[in-house]
Amino acid sequence: MATLHEYLVVAAILFLFGLFIMITRRHGVWILMGVELILNGANLNLVAFSRYGGSKFAIDGQVFALFVILVAAAEAAVALAIFLSIYYRYVKIDLDEVDTLQG
Amino acid sequence: MEWVAENLHRLIFYVLAAMTLSSGMVVVFARRIVYAAFALFFTFLGLAGLYASLGADFLAITQIAIYAGGILVLLLFGVMFTQNISMQPFRAEVMQFWPSLVVMILGGVGLITLIKMARFPEVVPGDPQDTIAPIGESLLTTYLLPFELASVLLVIALIGAVIVARARPKEEKHGDTP
């Protein structure tokens, strides 16, 4: 039986992948993919603990993960709408060029 | 053969984890964003398999339906609608690759060491059971408020996304559009 630690290591590596994408890339949609990877890593953590953690509130981890999926969907929709607006204005989604609010 | 039967769960976990992490690596290091999007699809599938291996059957199906079938399609639409037609390449696709890689590897080593050092109570999980009924019950009893708030959030996100992404009229007046 795969241990809890192995699931946590996979989740941690997914989190680090997402973080690397968010730090390194400039394309808006790519950064959004990094955010989704981070959220999925957190979800994997939640579900792993819901199974291996204890038997009293075992289903709560999965309900939490369900809400994370839901909020991630809403956030991806709004983020893409914002990227579309940026594209209408700048004709590219290079997030380094969107700096008109910068001091 | 008995070795396979005994360690079947572990074997399945390793195959799924390899699929998820290798697709994740393609998402990180790909050259083009379309490659990354398709690799993300396989990452989501691998994660759905991992949820199923943890006994979360409803969550696995939800992951495929919403993440792979909804969010990923949305991302692909986003990529498609924002392609630069004038074919100007991005300048230097990746910023500060090597420092970030060093930081990520150090962070990874630190995190994995922490995880290995942690002692969790030894729980042998029972046989996986159906999760749809318990999830449905908790959504309507214990987690009723988050459930209703989540529906409000979805309506707000829907309306907001439509308003934000509306095509602008041809003349761009500054105080004109909301």
Side-chain angles (χ1 to χ4, degrees), chain A residues 2 5-7 16 20 23-27 30 32 36 40 43 47 51 60 62 66-67 70 72-73 80-81 85 87 91 93 96, chain B residues 9 13-14 27-28 30 33 44 47 51 53-54 59 63 67 74-75 81-83 90 94-95 100-101 104 108 115 118 126 143 164:
Chain A
H5 296 86
E6 297 170 352
Y7 281 103
L16 287 169
F20 186 78
I23 295 177
T24 315
R25 297 280 175 186
R26 333 170 160 238
H27 197 287
W30 217 318
L32 192 57
E36 299 302 334
N40 274 300
N43 260 354
V47 180
R51 177 130 169 93
D60 289 1
Q62 297 184 22
L66 206 60
F67 278 114
L70 217 149
L80 280 166
S85 288
Y87 182 71
V91 198
I93 323 222
D96 271 354
Chain B
H9 186 254
F13 167 76
Y14 281 136
V27 180
V28 177
I33 194 167
F44 290 155
L47 270 161
Y51 294 157
S53 83
L54 282 166
L59 204 62
Q63 165 92 359
Y67 256 116
L74 202 57
L75 283 177
F81 278 137
T82 54
Q83 293 282 4
F90 267 30
V94 170
M95 323 183 288
S100 313
L101 194 61
M104 183 177 84
I115 292 175
Y143 295 107
V164 168

Short mmCIF file of all heavy atoms in Angstrom, two decimals, chain A residues 2 5-7 16 20 23-27 30 32 36 40 43 47 51 60 62 66-67 70 72-73 80-81 85 87 91 93 96, chain B residues 9 13-14 27-28 30 33 44 47 51 53-54 59 63 67 74-75 81-83 90 94-95 100-101 104 108 115 118 126 143 164:
data_model
loop_
_atom_site.label_atom_id
_atom_site.label_comp_id
_atom_site.label_asym_id
_atom_site.label_seq_id
_atom_site.Cartn_x
_atom_site.Cartn_y
_atom_site.Cartn_z
N ALA A 2 0.65 2.15 -0.91
CA ALA A 2 1.47 3.35 -0.98
C ALA A 2 1.27 4.18 0.27
O ALA A 2 0.16 4.36 0.74
CB ALA A 2 1.08 4.17 -2.20
N HIS A 5 3.36 9.48 2.84
CA HIS A 5 4.49 10.33 2.48
C HIS A 5 4.69 10.38 0.98
O HIS A 5 5.06 11.42 0.44
CB HIS A 5 5.76 9.82 3.15
CG HIS A 5 5.71 9.90 4.64
ND1 HIS A 5 5.17 8.89 5.41
CD2 HIS A 5 6.11 10.85 5.49
CE1 HIS A 5 5.26 9.24 6.67
NE2 HIS A 5 5.81 10.43 6.76
N GLU A 6 4.45 9.29 0.30
CA GLU A 6 4.67 9.29 -1.14
C GLU A 6 3.68 10.19 -1.83
O GLU A 6 4.04 10.92 -2.76
CB GLU A 6 4.58 7.86 -1.66
CG GLU A 6 5.66 7.00 -1.06
CD GLU A 6 5.47 5.53 -1.36
OE1 GLU A 6 4.42 5.18 -1.91
OE2 GLU A 6 6.38 4.77 -1.05
N TYR A 7 2.42 10.18 -1.38
CA TYR A 7 1.45 11.09 -1.97
C TYR A 7 1.83 12.54 -1.69
O TYR A 7 1.68 13.41 -2.54
CB TYR A 7 0.05 10.82 -1.41
CG TYR A 7 -0.63 9.64 -2.04
CD1 TYR A 7 -0.71 8.43 -1.36
CD2 TYR A 7 -1.19 9.73 -3.30
CE1 TYR A 7 -1.33 7.35 -1.95
CE2 TYR A 7 -1.82 8.66 -3.87
CZ TYR A 7 -1.88 7.47 -3.20
OH TYR A 7 -2.50 6.39 -3.77
N LEU A 16 5.82 22.69 -6.56
CA LEU A 16 7.05 23.37 -6.98
C LEU A 16 7.05 23.61 -8.47
O LEU A 16 7.53 24.65 -8.94
CB LEU A 16 8.26 22.54 -6.57
CG LEU A 16 8.51 22.59 -5.08
CD1 LEU A 16 9.53 21.57 -4.69
CD2 LEU A 16 8.98 23.96 -4.68
N PHE A 20 7.39 27.29 -10.07
CA PHE A 20 8.42 27.61 -11.06
C PHE A 20 7.82 28.26 -12.29
O PHE A 20 8.35 29.23 -12.82
CB PHE A 20 9.16 26.33 -11.43
CG PHE A 20 10.33 26.55 -12.33
CD1 PHE A 20 11.51 27.03 -11.83
CD2 PHE A 20 10.25 26.29 -13.68
CE1 PHE A 20 12.59 27.24 -12.64
CE2 PHE A 20 11.32 26.48 -14.51
CZ PHE A 20 12.50 26.96 -13.99
N ILE A 23 6.91 31.86 -11.51
CA ILE A 23 8.04 32.78 -11.39
C ILE A 23 8.66 33.05 -12.75
O ILE A 23 9.06 34.16 -13.06
CB ILE A 23 9.11 32.16 -10.46
CG1 ILE A 23 8.57 32.03 -9.06
CG2 ILE A 23 10.36 33.00 -10.44
CD1 ILE A 23 9.56 31.37 -8.14
N THR A 24 8.71 32.00 -13.59
CA THR A 24 9.57 32.09 -14.75
C THR A 24 8.90 32.62 -16.00
O THR A 24 9.48 33.37 -16.74
CB THR A 24 10.13 30.70 -15.04
OG1 THR A 24 10.55 30.13 -13.84
CG2 THR A 24 11.26 30.77 -16.01
N ARG A 25 7.66 32.24 -16.23
CA ARG A 25 7.06 32.54 -17.52
C ARG A 25 6.48 33.94 -17.57
O ARG A 25 6.15 34.50 -16.52
CB ARG A 25 5.94 31.54 -17.80
CG ARG A 25 6.43 30.14 -17.91
CD ARG A 25 7.01 29.87 -19.23
NE ARG A 25 7.60 28.54 -19.30
CZ ARG A 25 8.29 28.11 -20.33
NH1 ARG A 25 8.45 28.88 -21.36
NH2 ARG A 25 8.80 26.90 -20.32
N ARG A 26 6.33 34.47 -18.82
CA ARG A 26 5.66 35.75 -18.93
C ARG A 26 4.32 35.67 -19.58
O ARG A 26 3.58 36.64 -19.51
CB ARG A 26 6.39 36.75 -19.81
CG ARG A 26 7.75 36.63 -19.92
CD ARG A 26 8.22 37.54 -21.00
NE ARG A 26 9.60 37.70 -20.71
CZ ARG A 26 10.18 38.83 -20.50
NH1 ARG A 26 9.51 39.90 -20.61
NH2 ARG A 26 11.42 38.88 -20.19
N HIS A 27 4.01 34.59 -20.24
CA HIS A 27 2.72 34.51 -20.92
C HIS A 27 1.62 34.31 -19.90
O HIS A 27 1.71 33.44 -19.05
CB HIS A 27 2.74 33.32 -21.89
CG HIS A 27 1.67 33.35 -22.91
ND1 HIS A 27 0.36 33.09 -22.61
CD2 HIS A 27 1.70 33.61 -24.23
CE1 HIS A 27 -0.35 33.17 -23.71
NE2 HIS A 27 0.43 33.49 -24.70
N TRP A 30 0.08 30.86 -19.50
CA TRP A 30 1.02 29.91 -18.91
C TRP A 30 1.07 30.06 -17.39
O TRP A 30 1.12 29.09 -16.65
CB TRP A 30 2.41 30.14 -19.49
CG TRP A 30 3.15 28.89 -19.68
CD1 TRP A 30 3.21 27.83 -18.83
CD2 TRP A 30 3.95 28.55 -20.81
NE1 TRP A 30 3.98 26.85 -19.37
CE2 TRP A 30 4.46 27.26 -20.57
CE3 TRP A 30 4.29 29.21 -21.98
CZ2 TRP A 30 5.29 26.63 -21.47
CZ3 TRP A 30 5.11 28.57 -22.87
CH2 TRP A 30 5.61 27.29 -22.62
N LEU A 32 -1.33 31.08 -15.63
CA LEU A 32 -2.58 30.48 -15.14
C LEU A 32 -2.45 28.97 -15.02
O LEU A 32 -2.95 28.35 -14.08
CB LEU A 32 -3.70 30.85 -16.10
CG LEU A 32 -5.10 30.57 -15.61
CD1 LEU A 32 -5.34 31.27 -14.31
CD2 LEU A 32 -6.08 31.02 -16.65
N GLU A 36 -2.99 26.56 -11.71
CA GLU A 36 -3.79 25.34 -11.64
C GLU A 36 -2.98 24.17 -11.11
O GLU A 36 -3.49 23.33 -10.37
CB GLU A 36 -4.35 25.00 -13.03
CG GLU A 36 -5.24 26.05 -13.61
CD GLU A 36 -6.45 26.34 -12.73
OE1 GLU A 36 -6.87 25.46 -11.96
OE2 GLU A 36 -6.96 27.47 -12.80
N ASN A 40 -3.86 21.97 -7.83
CA ASN A 40 -3.99 20.52 -7.88
C ASN A 40 -3.08 19.83 -6.89
O ASN A 40 -3.44 18.81 -6.32
CB ASN A 40 -3.68 20.03 -9.29
CG ASN A 40 -4.90 20.07 -10.15
OD1 ASN A 40 -5.87 19.42 -9.83
ND2 ASN A 40 -4.87 20.84 -11.20
N ASN A 43 -4.85 20.02 -3.69
CA ASN A 43 -5.95 19.06 -3.68
C ASN A 43 -5.47 17.66 -3.38
O ASN A 43 -6.10 16.91 -2.63
CB ASN A 43 -6.64 19.06 -5.05
CG ASN A 43 -7.90 19.87 -5.03
OD1 ASN A 43 -8.31 20.33 -3.98
ND2 ASN A 43 -8.51 20.02 -6.18
N VAL A 47 -6.79 15.23 -0.34
CA VAL A 47 -7.40 13.91 -0.51
C VAL A 47 -6.55 12.83 0.14
O VAL A 47 -7.06 11.88 0.72
CB VAL A 47 -7.63 13.63 -2.01
CG1 VAL A 47 -8.27 12.28 -2.19
CG2 VAL A 47 -8.51 14.68 -2.61
N ARG A 51 -7.73 10.29 3.31
CA ARG A 51 -7.73 8.83 3.34
C ARG A 51 -6.85 8.27 4.43
O ARG A 51 -7.21 7.33 5.12
CB ARG A 51 -7.26 8.31 1.99
CG ARG A 51 -7.16 6.83 1.94
CD ARG A 51 -7.88 6.32 0.73
NE ARG A 51 -7.57 4.93 0.51
CZ ARG A 51 -8.32 3.94 1.00
NH1 ARG A 51 -9.36 4.20 1.73
NH2 ARG A 51 -7.99 2.71 0.75
N ASP A 60 -14.28 15.04 4.86
CA ASP A 60 -14.14 16.48 4.77
C ASP A 60 -13.04 16.90 3.82
O ASP A 60 -13.14 17.94 3.17
CB ASP A 60 -13.86 17.07 6.16
CG ASP A 60 -15.08 16.98 7.04
OD1 ASP A 60 -16.10 16.46 6.54
OD2 ASP A 60 -15.02 17.41 8.19
N GLN A 62 -12.23 15.50 1.07
CA GLN A 62 -12.72 15.44 -0.30
C GLN A 62 -13.69 16.57 -0.58
O GLN A 62 -13.72 17.10 -1.70
CB GLN A 62 -13.39 14.10 -0.55
CG GLN A 62 -12.40 12.98 -0.40
CD GLN A 62 -13.02 11.66 -0.75
OE1 GLN A 62 -14.02 11.61 -1.45
NE2 GLN A 62 -12.44 10.60 -0.26
N LEU A 66 -13.27 19.42 -3.41
CA LEU A 66 -14.33 19.76 -4.36
C LEU A 66 -14.51 21.26 -4.45
O LEU A 66 -14.65 21.82 -5.55
CB LEU A 66 -15.62 19.10 -3.89
CG LEU A 66 -16.66 18.78 -4.92
CD1 LEU A 66 -16.08 17.84 -5.92
CD2 LEU A 66 -17.84 18.13 -4.22
N PHE A 67 -14.50 21.93 -3.30
CA PHE A 67 -14.64 23.37 -3.33
C PHE A 67 -13.44 24.04 -3.98
O PHE A 67 -13.58 25.07 -4.65
CB PHE A 67 -14.83 23.91 -1.91
CG PHE A 67 -16.24 23.79 -1.44
CD1 PHE A 67 -16.57 22.97 -0.39
CD2 PHE A 67 -17.25 24.52 -2.04
CE1 PHE A 67 -17.87 22.85 0.04
CE2 PHE A 67 -18.54 24.40 -1.63
CZ PHE A 67 -18.86 23.57 -0.58
N LEU A 70 -13.97 23.93 -7.63
CA LEU A 70 -15.00 24.88 -8.01
C LEU A 70 -14.45 26.28 -8.10
O LEU A 70 -14.63 27.00 -9.09
CB LEU A 70 -16.07 24.82 -6.92
CG LEU A 70 -17.50 24.96 -7.29
CD1 LEU A 70 -18.29 24.15 -6.30
CD2 LEU A 70 -17.90 26.40 -7.18
N ALA A 72 -11.38 27.18 -8.36
CA ALA A 72 -10.37 27.26 -9.43
C ALA A 72 -11.03 27.48 -10.78
O ALA A 72 -10.51 28.22 -11.62
CB ALA A 72 -9.53 25.99 -9.45
N ALA A 73 -12.18 26.84 -11.00
CA ALA A 73 -12.88 27.03 -12.26
C ALA A 73 -13.36 28.47 -12.40
O ALA A 73 -13.17 29.10 -13.46
CB ALA A 73 -14.08 26.08 -12.34
N LEU A 80 -9.11 34.50 -17.47
CA LEU A 80 -9.06 34.50 -18.94
C LEU A 80 -9.81 35.68 -19.51
O LEU A 80 -9.41 36.25 -20.54
CB LEU A 80 -9.61 33.19 -19.48
CG LEU A 80 -8.55 32.12 -19.40
CD1 LEU A 80 -9.13 30.76 -19.60
CD2 LEU A 80 -7.48 32.38 -20.42
N ALA A 81 -10.89 36.10 -18.85
CA ALA A 81 -11.59 37.29 -19.32
C ALA A 81 -10.66 38.51 -19.22
O ALA A 81 -10.60 39.34 -20.13
CB ALA A 81 -12.85 37.52 -18.49
N SER A 85 -9.12 41.00 -22.23
CA SER A 85 -9.11 42.46 -22.22
C SER A 85 -7.71 42.99 -22.47
O SER A 85 -7.52 43.95 -23.20
CB SER A 85 -9.60 42.97 -20.88
OG SER A 85 -10.96 42.77 -20.75
N TYR A 87 -5.39 41.53 -24.08
CA TYR A 87 -5.05 41.29 -25.48
C TYR A 87 -5.67 42.34 -26.38
O TYR A 87 -5.05 42.78 -27.34
CB TYR A 87 -5.53 39.90 -25.88
CG TYR A 87 -5.18 39.55 -27.29
CD1 TYR A 87 -3.88 39.28 -27.65
CD2 TYR A 87 -6.16 39.50 -28.27
CE1 TYR A 87 -3.56 38.96 -28.94
CE2 TYR A 87 -5.85 39.17 -29.55
CZ TYR A 87 -4.54 38.90 -29.88
OH TYR A 87 -4.24 38.59 -31.17
N VAL A 91 -2.40 43.67 -27.65
CA VAL A 91 -2.18 42.69 -28.71
C VAL A 91 -1.10 41.68 -28.35
O VAL A 91 -0.44 41.13 -29.20
CB VAL A 91 -1.88 43.37 -30.07
CG1 VAL A 91 -2.09 42.40 -31.19
CG2 VAL A 91 -2.78 44.55 -30.26
N ILE A 93 -0.02 38.94 -24.65
CA ILE A 93 -0.27 38.75 -23.22
C ILE A 93 1.04 38.63 -22.49
O ILE A 93 1.20 37.79 -21.65
CB ILE A 93 -1.09 37.50 -22.96
CG1 ILE A 93 -2.06 37.34 -24.01
CG2 ILE A 93 -1.77 37.61 -21.65
CD1 ILE A 93 -3.34 36.94 -23.57
N ASP A 96 4.82 41.21 -18.65
CA ASP A 96 5.81 42.18 -18.25
C ASP A 96 5.55 43.53 -18.87
O ASP A 96 6.06 44.54 -18.42
CB ASP A 96 7.20 41.72 -18.69
CG ASP A 96 7.83 40.87 -17.63
OD1 ASP A 96 7.24 40.75 -16.55
OD2 ASP A 96 8.91 40.34 -17.87
N HIS B 9 -1.23 -1.80 -5.24
CA HIS B 9 -1.58 -0.40 -5.02
C HIS B 9 -0.38 0.50 -5.22
O HIS B 9 -0.44 1.55 -5.84
CB HIS B 9 -2.15 -0.25 -3.60
CG HIS B 9 -2.67 1.11 -3.33
ND1 HIS B 9 -2.03 2.02 -2.54
CD2 HIS B 9 -3.78 1.72 -3.77
CE1 HIS B 9 -2.71 3.13 -2.49
NE2 HIS B 9 -3.80 2.99 -3.22
N PHE B 13 0.21 3.33 -7.98
CA PHE B 13 0.57 4.69 -7.56
C PHE B 13 1.81 5.17 -8.30
O PHE B 13 1.87 6.32 -8.76
CB PHE B 13 0.81 4.72 -6.05
CG PHE B 13 1.47 5.97 -5.59
CD1 PHE B 13 0.76 7.14 -5.50
CD2 PHE B 13 2.82 6.00 -5.30
CE1 PHE B 13 1.37 8.32 -5.11
CE2 PHE B 13 3.44 7.17 -4.89
CZ PHE B 13 2.71 8.33 -4.79
N TYR B 14 2.82 4.31 -8.45
CA TYR B 14 4.04 4.77 -9.11
C TYR B 14 3.80 5.08 -10.57
O TYR B 14 4.32 6.07 -11.10
CB TYR B 14 5.15 3.73 -8.97
CG TYR B 14 5.81 3.78 -7.62
CD1 TYR B 14 6.10 2.62 -6.93
CD2 TYR B 14 6.14 4.99 -7.04
CE1 TYR B 14 6.69 2.66 -5.69
CE2 TYR B 14 6.73 5.05 -5.80
CZ TYR B 14 7.00 3.89 -5.12
OH TYR B 14 7.57 3.94 -3.90
N VAL B 27 4.87 20.61 -18.87
CA VAL B 27 4.19 21.90 -18.72
C VAL B 27 5.20 22.96 -18.32
O VAL B 27 5.15 24.10 -18.79
CB VAL B 27 3.06 21.82 -17.68
CG1 VAL B 27 2.38 23.15 -17.54
CG2 VAL B 27 2.07 20.77 -18.05
N VAL B 28 6.15 22.60 -17.48
CA VAL B 28 7.12 23.59 -17.01
C VAL B 28 8.09 23.97 -18.10
O VAL B 28 8.35 25.15 -18.34
CB VAL B 28 7.88 23.04 -15.79
CG1 VAL B 28 8.93 24.02 -15.35
CG2 VAL B 28 6.95 22.75 -14.67
N ALA B 30 8.15 23.28 -21.53
CA ALA B 30 7.82 23.21 -22.95
C ALA B 30 8.21 24.51 -23.66
O ALA B 30 8.33 25.56 -23.05
CB ALA B 30 6.34 22.94 -23.13
N ILE B 33 3.24 27.07 -25.92
CA ILE B 33 2.21 27.01 -24.91
C ILE B 33 1.19 25.92 -25.23
O ILE B 33 0.59 25.34 -24.31
CB ILE B 33 1.54 28.39 -24.75
CG1 ILE B 33 0.72 28.42 -23.50
CG2 ILE B 33 0.74 28.75 -25.96
CD1 ILE B 33 0.31 29.77 -23.12
N PHE B 44 -3.75 16.40 -15.47
CA PHE B 44 -5.04 16.30 -14.81
C PHE B 44 -5.55 14.86 -14.81
O PHE B 44 -6.14 14.41 -13.83
CB PHE B 44 -6.06 17.21 -15.50
CG PHE B 44 -5.82 18.67 -15.29
CD1 PHE B 44 -6.29 19.60 -16.20
CD2 PHE B 44 -5.14 19.12 -14.18
CE1 PHE B 44 -6.08 20.95 -16.01
CE2 PHE B 44 -4.92 20.47 -13.99
CZ PHE B 44 -5.40 21.38 -14.91
N LEU B 47 -3.77 12.97 -12.19
CA LEU B 47 -4.26 13.32 -10.87
C LEU B 47 -5.60 12.67 -10.59
O LEU B 47 -5.86 12.23 -9.47
CB LEU B 47 -4.39 14.84 -10.76
CG LEU B 47 -3.11 15.46 -10.25
CD1 LEU B 47 -3.08 16.91 -10.57
CD2 LEU B 47 -3.04 15.27 -8.77
N TYR B 51 -6.47 10.34 -7.43
CA TYR B 51 -7.62 10.46 -6.53
C TYR B 51 -8.36 9.14 -6.45
O TYR B 51 -8.81 8.72 -5.38
CB TYR B 51 -8.59 11.53 -7.01
CG TYR B 51 -8.06 12.93 -6.97
CD1 TYR B 51 -8.61 13.91 -7.79
CD2 TYR B 51 -7.01 13.29 -6.15
CE1 TYR B 51 -8.13 15.19 -7.79
CE2 TYR B 51 -6.53 14.58 -6.14
CZ TYR B 51 -7.09 15.52 -6.96
OH TYR B 51 -6.62 16.79 -6.96
N SER B 53 -7.10 6.22 -6.84
CA SER B 53 -6.31 5.27 -6.07
C SER B 53 -6.40 5.56 -4.59
O SER B 53 -6.07 4.72 -3.76
CB SER B 53 -4.84 5.30 -6.50
OG SER B 53 -4.16 6.35 -5.85
N LEU B 54 -6.87 6.78 -4.23
CA LEU B 54 -7.07 7.10 -2.84
C LEU B 54 -8.50 6.87 -2.42
O LEU B 54 -8.92 7.26 -1.34
CB LEU B 54 -6.74 8.58 -2.58
CG LEU B 54 -5.26 8.90 -2.48
CD1 LEU B 54 -5.06 10.38 -2.57
CD2 LEU B 54 -4.73 8.38 -1.18
N LEU B 59 -14.57 12.42 -6.65
CA LEU B 59 -13.62 13.50 -6.92
C LEU B 59 -12.83 13.24 -8.19
O LEU B 59 -12.52 14.16 -8.95
CB LEU B 59 -12.68 13.65 -5.74
CG LEU B 59 -12.06 15.03 -5.62
CD1 LEU B 59 -13.14 16.05 -5.42
CD2 LEU B 59 -11.10 15.03 -4.47
N GLN B 63 -12.83 15.73 -11.24
CA GLN B 63 -11.58 16.28 -11.75
C GLN B 63 -11.54 16.17 -13.26
O GLN B 63 -11.19 17.12 -13.96
CB GLN B 63 -10.42 15.50 -11.12
CG GLN B 63 -9.09 15.70 -11.79
CD GLN B 63 -8.30 16.82 -11.16
OE1 GLN B 63 -8.77 17.46 -10.23
NE2 GLN B 63 -7.12 17.06 -11.67
N TYR B 67 -11.89 19.84 -14.53
CA TYR B 67 -10.55 20.31 -14.88
C TYR B 67 -10.20 19.97 -16.31
O TYR B 67 -9.90 20.85 -17.12
CB TYR B 67 -9.51 19.71 -13.93
CG TYR B 67 -9.03 20.68 -12.90
CD1 TYR B 67 -9.26 20.47 -11.56
CD2 TYR B 67 -8.34 21.81 -13.28
CE1 TYR B 67 -8.82 21.37 -10.63
CE2 TYR B 67 -7.89 22.71 -12.35
CZ TYR B 67 -8.13 22.49 -11.02
OH TYR B 67 -7.70 23.38 -10.11
N LEU B 74 -11.12 25.84 -21.59
CA LEU B 74 -11.11 27.29 -21.44
C LEU B 74 -9.72 27.84 -21.68
O LEU B 74 -9.53 28.85 -22.37
CB LEU B 74 -11.58 27.62 -20.04
CG LEU B 74 -12.13 29.00 -19.77
CD1 LEU B 74 -13.28 29.27 -20.68
CD2 LEU B 74 -12.55 29.09 -18.33
N LEU B 75 -8.71 27.17 -21.14
CA LEU B 75 -7.33 27.60 -21.34
C LEU B 75 -6.94 27.54 -22.81
O LEU B 75 -6.28 28.44 -23.33
CB LEU B 75 -6.37 26.72 -20.53
CG LEU B 75 -6.29 26.99 -19.04
CD1 LEU B 75 -5.36 26.00 -18.39
CD2 LEU B 75 -5.78 28.37 -18.79
N PHE B 81 -7.41 32.47 -28.71
CA PHE B 81 -7.90 33.81 -28.99
C PHE B 81 -6.83 34.86 -28.80
O PHE B 81 -7.02 35.99 -29.21
CB PHE B 81 -9.08 34.14 -28.08
CG PHE B 81 -10.37 33.60 -28.56
CD1 PHE B 81 -11.24 33.00 -27.68
CD2 PHE B 81 -10.72 33.66 -29.89
CE1 PHE B 81 -12.43 32.49 -28.12
CE2 PHE B 81 -11.90 33.15 -30.34
CZ PHE B 81 -12.77 32.55 -29.45
N THR B 82 -5.74 34.52 -28.14
CA THR B 82 -4.75 35.55 -27.88
C THR B 82 -3.45 35.28 -28.60
O THR B 82 -2.40 35.75 -28.19
CB THR B 82 -4.48 35.64 -26.37
OG1 THR B 82 -4.13 34.36 -25.91
CG2 THR B 82 -5.69 36.12 -25.65
N GLN B 83 -3.52 34.53 -29.68
CA GLN B 83 -2.32 34.35 -30.48
C GLN B 83 -2.02 35.64 -31.20
O GLN B 83 -2.91 36.32 -31.67
CB GLN B 83 -2.56 33.27 -31.55
CG GLN B 83 -2.76 31.90 -31.03
CD GLN B 83 -1.47 31.26 -30.65
OE1 GLN B 83 -0.42 31.89 -30.71
NE2 GLN B 83 -1.52 30.01 -30.25
N PHE B 90 7.86 36.38 -28.62
CA PHE B 90 8.08 36.90 -27.28
C PHE B 90 9.57 37.12 -27.12
O PHE B 90 10.35 36.28 -27.51
CB PHE B 90 7.65 35.85 -26.25
CG PHE B 90 6.24 36.03 -25.80
CD1 PHE B 90 5.29 36.57 -26.64
CD2 PHE B 90 5.88 35.64 -24.56
CE1 PHE B 90 4.00 36.72 -26.23
CE2 PHE B 90 4.58 35.78 -24.12
CZ PHE B 90 3.64 36.32 -24.96
N VAL B 94 11.64 32.80 -21.31
CA VAL B 94 11.70 32.43 -19.89
C VAL B 94 12.60 33.42 -19.18
O VAL B 94 13.69 33.71 -19.64
CB VAL B 94 12.27 31.01 -19.76
CG1 VAL B 94 12.56 30.70 -18.33
CG2 VAL B 94 11.29 30.03 -20.31
N MET B 95 12.13 33.94 -18.05
CA MET B 95 12.93 34.92 -17.33
C MET B 95 13.66 34.25 -16.19
O MET B 95 13.06 33.49 -15.45
CB MET B 95 12.03 35.97 -16.71
CG MET B 95 10.86 36.36 -17.56
SD MET B 95 9.96 37.64 -16.76
CE MET B 95 9.21 36.73 -15.43
N SER B 100 15.80 30.57 -10.73
CA SER B 100 14.56 29.95 -10.30
C SER B 100 14.71 28.44 -10.15
O SER B 100 14.15 27.84 -9.24
CB SER B 100 13.44 30.23 -11.30
OG SER B 100 13.44 31.55 -11.65
N LEU B 101 15.50 27.84 -11.06
CA LEU B 101 15.69 26.40 -10.98
C LEU B 101 16.41 26.04 -9.69
O LEU B 101 16.05 25.07 -9.00
CB LEU B 101 16.48 25.91 -12.19
CG LEU B 101 16.46 24.42 -12.41
CD1 LEU B 101 15.05 23.95 -12.64
CD2 LEU B 101 17.33 24.07 -13.59
N MET B 104 14.04 26.38 -6.86
CA MET B 104 13.05 25.32 -6.85
C MET B 104 13.66 24.02 -6.34
O MET B 104 13.04 23.29 -5.57
CB MET B 104 12.47 25.11 -8.25
CG MET B 104 11.39 24.07 -8.26
SD MET B 104 10.63 23.85 -9.84
CE MET B 104 11.76 22.73 -10.60
N GLY B 108 12.58 22.13 -3.11
CA GLY B 108 12.11 20.76 -3.22
C GLY B 108 12.80 19.84 -2.25
O GLY B 108 12.16 19.02 -1.57
N ILE B 115 8.89 16.35 4.70
CA ILE B 115 7.84 15.34 4.61
C ILE B 115 8.35 14.01 5.13
O ILE B 115 7.65 13.30 5.86
CB ILE B 115 7.35 15.21 3.16
CG1 ILE B 115 6.61 16.47 2.76
CG2 ILE B 115 6.45 14.02 2.99
CD1 ILE B 115 6.21 16.47 1.32
N ALA B 118 8.40 13.86 8.89
CA ALA B 118 7.16 14.00 9.64
C ALA B 118 6.66 12.64 10.08
O ALA B 118 6.77 11.66 9.36
CB ALA B 118 6.12 14.69 8.77
N GLY B 126 -9.25 1.73 5.58
CA GLY B 126 -10.12 0.60 5.31
C GLY B 126 -10.38 0.45 3.83
O GLY B 126 -9.75 1.09 3.00
N TYR B 143 -21.78 21.52 5.34
CA TYR B 143 -21.16 22.53 4.50
C TYR B 143 -22.18 23.26 3.67
O TYR B 143 -21.93 23.59 2.51
CB TYR B 143 -20.11 21.87 3.59
CG TYR B 143 -18.97 21.31 4.39
CD1 TYR B 143 -18.82 19.96 4.56
CD2 TYR B 143 -18.06 22.15 5.00
CE1 TYR B 143 -17.80 19.45 5.30
CE2 TYR B 143 -17.03 21.67 5.75
CZ TYR B 143 -16.90 20.31 5.90
OH TYR B 143 -15.88 19.81 6.63
N VAL B 164 -16.27 41.62 -18.39
CA VAL B 164 -14.87 42.04 -18.58
C VAL B 164 -14.40 41.73 -19.98
O VAL B 164 -13.67 42.51 -20.59
CB VAL B 164 -13.99 41.37 -17.53
CG1 VAL B 164 -12.53 41.53 -17.86
CG2 VAL B 164 -14.27 41.95 -16.17
#
